[in-house]
Amino acid sequence: MKTKLLHVSPVLPSQDIDRDVAWYEKYIGFSLLHKDSMYAVMRRENIYFHLQWHADTEDDPLLGGSVVKIFVDDIQPIFEEFVDRGTIKPEKLRLKTDWGTSEFGFYDLNNNAVFFVQDL
């Protein structure tokens, strides 16, 4: 018998939980499931993001630079949604890349990269 993998929930660093929850709701369409002053859980369909507060000090670095790729079955509708939301500019869509995808990406307010990818 094999274990069935259900989903991945990346935990992204945040310097301001309230600010970042509002950004993810407005610009990515996530809904808030839980929030306190140090941690938030957000969801859109079967994709979960966790945001964890960091002080951005030597002992508790914010870092940024995390990369999340969300794979979709049709890139065009979600790309158009994010253009309409003001999340990205129309020229960000890369169609038929050399590595067999169509994709676009952007950075959140903490320099975490979020990509949406369609395998071709």
Side-chain angles (χ1 to χ4, degrees):
M1 191 168 188
K2 285 183 128 180
T3 298
K4 182 179 178 182
L5 303 178
L6 300 177
H7 61 83
V8 172
S9 298
V11 179
L12 301 174
S14 170
Q15 199 169 25
D16 184 326
I17 295 291
D18 291 332
R19 174 198 71 182
D20 295 341
V21 164
W23 189 87
Y24 273 89
E25 287 174 332
K26 179 176 181 179
Y27 291 107
I28 308 184
F30 274 69
S31 298
L32 181 64
L33 298 178
H34 165 79
K35 182 177 75 71
D36 60 35
S37 63
M38 304 288 284
Y39 205 86
V41 180
M42 304 195 74
R43 175 182 178 197
R44 178 167 176 171
E45 296 180 35
N46 292 325
I47 306 295
Y48 294 82
F49 278 10
H50 294 230
L51 303 173
Q52 184 174 25
W53 182 82
H54 291 273
D56 200 16
T57 64
E58 187 175 325
D59 293 335
D60 187 20
L62 181 64
L63 300 179
S66 298
V67 179
V68 177
K69 290 190 174 190
I70 300 171
F71 287 81
V72 299
D73 62 348
D74 185 358
I75 197 87
Q76 198 64 43
I78 196 148
F79 173 73
E80 291 169 4
E81 173 191 331
F82 286 175
V83 169
D84 290 345
R85 286 178 179 273
T87 309
I88 56 167
K89 297 194 183 306
E91 61 270 12
K92 290 294 186 181
L93 183 61
R94 298 179 68 185
L95 296 172
K96 299 179 182 173
T97 65
D98 292 342
W99 48 92
T101 67
S102 289
E103 59 187 60
F104 67 90
F106 50 87
Y107 292 97
D108 73 5
L109 299 173
N110 299 292
N111 283 331
N112 298 300
V114 179
F115 285 89
F116 285 79
V117 181
Q118 177 184 347
D119 283 324
L120 300 176

